[in-house]
């Protein structure tokens, strides 16, 4: 019922909220397309996620990438903290390289694998880094320094308050123009809002 509750909130505050909707792993492309039509498109959601694969399950996202492409570049927001390992993140990045039209948001900056993730996304322009639930406060600093146009603010609420997440970024990003990009302009541009 989470999708129904999310739709109610978006319908009540359409100017304030845009939503990504969940999708189960393990469906065929046809089943994904039915799911996306019924639960994402009809609900006016703008992306798929947060997709939470267990370690070893990232290959199952291939059919989701395929369906996202069929629906016109639906962005994917993928959880990359525990239980995801760096081998899983590398598999996810291989899919991002294969499906260059699909924006892929790496949730939580790769978790404990943040430094390897920052290095690995260098030549994959359709990959964005979500700065929520960072493993260390240095992770957002380095991510923003390397990719000021491909990092996006997120708080991972209720596990971290939006205010605390914002304070970390305000401390890490001294340039006010870059801070504006990270705090909202990058994601607005990505989602064409």
């Amino acid at each position: 019922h989470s999708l129904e509750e999310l739709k109610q909130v978006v319908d009540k505050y359409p100017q304030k909220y845009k939503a990504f909707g969940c999708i189960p792993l393990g469906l065929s492309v046809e089943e994904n397309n039915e799911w996306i039509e019924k639960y994402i498109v009809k609900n006016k959601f703008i992306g798929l996620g947060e997709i939470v694969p267990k370690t070893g399950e990232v290959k199952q996202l291939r059919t989701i990438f395929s369906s996202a492409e069929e629906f016109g570049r639906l962005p994917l927001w993928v959880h990359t903290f525990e239980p995801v390992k760096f081998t899983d993140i590398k598999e996810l990045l291989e899919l991002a390289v294969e499906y260059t039209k699909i924006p892929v948001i790496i949730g939580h900056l790769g978790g404990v694998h943040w430094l390897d993730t920052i290095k690995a996304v260098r030549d994959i322009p359709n990959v964005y880094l979500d700065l929520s639930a960072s493993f260390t406060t240095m992770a957002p600093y380095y991510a923003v320094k390397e990719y000021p146009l491909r990092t996006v603010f997120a708080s991972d609420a209720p596990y971290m308050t939006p205010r605390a997440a914002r304070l970390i970024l305000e401390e890490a990003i001294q340039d006010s123009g870059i801070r504006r990009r990270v705090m909202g302009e990058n994601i607005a541009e990505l989602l064409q809002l």
Side-chain angles (χ1 to χ4, degrees):
H1 299 287
S2 64
L3 290 171
E4 293 169 5
E5 291 177 8
L6 183 58
K7 182 181 179 342
Q8 289 172 3
V9 171
V10 172
D11 286 349
K12 188 171 182 179
Y13 304 101
Q15 298 303 328
K16 188 172 183 177
Y17 295 111
K18 306 296 180 199
F20 278 51
C22 64
I23 186 167
L25 289 176
L27 302 178
S28 69
V29 172
E30 295 76 22
E31 291 168 326
N32 283 338
N33 291 349
E34 290 174 17
W35 180 277
I36 291 169
E37 184 63 43
K38 183 175 181 180
Y39 297 108
I40 307 302
V41 173
K42 284 188 178 175
N43 288 337
K44 299 179 184 160
F45 295 167
I46 59 174
L48 301 171
E50 176 179 15
I51 301 168
V52 185
K54 295 177 184 151
T55 191
E57 291 184 344
V58 170
K59 285 183 172 75
Q60 292 182 37
L61 271 70
R62 177 177 296 284
T63 61
I64 295 175
F65 271 83
S66 181
S67 293
E69 194 170 63
E70 284 187 38
F71 279 87
R73 185 186 173 272
L74 277 176
L76 306 180
W77 198 306
V78 183
H79 175 89
T80 62
F81 218 122
E82 287 296 325
V84 176
K85 306 294 181 213
F86 189 61
T87 54
D88 301 307
I89 294 171
K90 288 194 290 188
E91 288 178 3
L92 176 61
L93 296 178
E94 289 169 9
L95 288 168
V97 167
E98 186 177 338
Y99 291 88
T100 57
K101 294 179 183 173
I102 303 299
V104 179
I105 302 167
I106 302 292
H108 318 303
L109 190 54
V112 297
H113 310 290
W114 64 273
L115 188 55
D116 291 325
T117 301
I118 288 172
K119 292 176 188 176
V121 304
R122 180 164 316 283
D123 297 319
I124 313 173
N126 56 314
V127 171
Y128 296 78
L129 301 170
D130 153 25
L131 302 176
S132 71
S134 296
F135 183 71
T136 171
T137 56
M138 292 307 297
Y141 171 80
Y142 287 115
V144 170
K145 183 176 179 184
E146 290 296 316
Y147 310 108
L149 303 180
R150 293 197 289 146
T151 47
V152 297
F153 170 78
S155 68
D156 202 32
Y159 302 105
M160 175 182 263
T161 67
R163 183 167 186 247
R166 185 175 137 211
L167 289 173
I168 289 170
L169 293 182
E170 287 174 349
E171 180 70 26
I173 308 168
Q174 299 305 307
D175 182 292
S176 62
I178 293 174
R179 190 180 313 123
R180 278 194 310 276
R181 296 279 323 171
V182 172
M183 296 301 293
E185 291 174 4
N186 289 343
I187 195 71
E189 196 173 280
L190 167 65
L191 300 176
Q192 301 173 355
L193 300 176

